[in-house]
Amino acid sequence: MPPRTFNTQFRCYPVVMFPGNEREDVERGGKIIMPPSALDQLTRLHIVYPMLFKLSNSRSGRNTHCGVLEFVADEGKIYIPYWVIINTY
């Protein structure tokens, strides 16, 4: 079976803007926080684990890869470590 792809757009925010307690653990790692709807879509696609995501900045043409830590972000948003943001702009 060919691999299925998950292709969608989110607004990216630094982890420091994630509501709730400070998340230094996320800031130091290479994983992102995504919304629950992403997990729902991935489950329907029967994605193979571990999941690896390609983040693309269409303005700069730069890409990076990451994993996911949790699916608890607000809909339409992802929270990523600041160092990932500056490396993709």
Side-chain angles (χ1 to χ4, degrees):
M1 176 186 284
R4 297 180 181 210
T5 59
F6 171 76
N7 188 4
T8 192
Q9 293 184 358
F10 294 104
R11 287 222 171 255
C12 297
Y13 296 92
V15 173
V16 72
M17 295 181 71
F18 186 68
N21 296 334
E22 192 172 329
R23 300 292 306 260
E24 289 183 29
D25 58 325
V26 182
E27 193 62 55
R28 289 190 216 117
K31 295 189 177 185
I32 62 175
I33 299 174
M34 300 179 77
S37 62
L39 177 59
D40 183 52
Q41 291 175 18
L42 290 163
T43 302
R44 291 175 195 217
L45 289 171
H46 304 288
I47 295 295
V48 177
Y49 293 87
M51 293 181 276
L52 180 65
F53 296 94
K54 178 181 176 182
L55 302 180
S56 301
N57 182 332
S58 57
R59 286 189 214 163
S60 69
R62 296 182 75 178
N63 304 307
T64 192
H65 294 83
C66 64
V68 64
L69 181 65
E70 298 176 354
F71 291 94
V72 295
D74 295 331
E75 291 304 321
K77 299 178 181 179
I78 62 171
Y79 295 91
I80 61 179
Y82 184 71
W83 68 268
V84 174
I85 293 172
I86 61 173
N87 284 324
T88 55
Y89 271 86

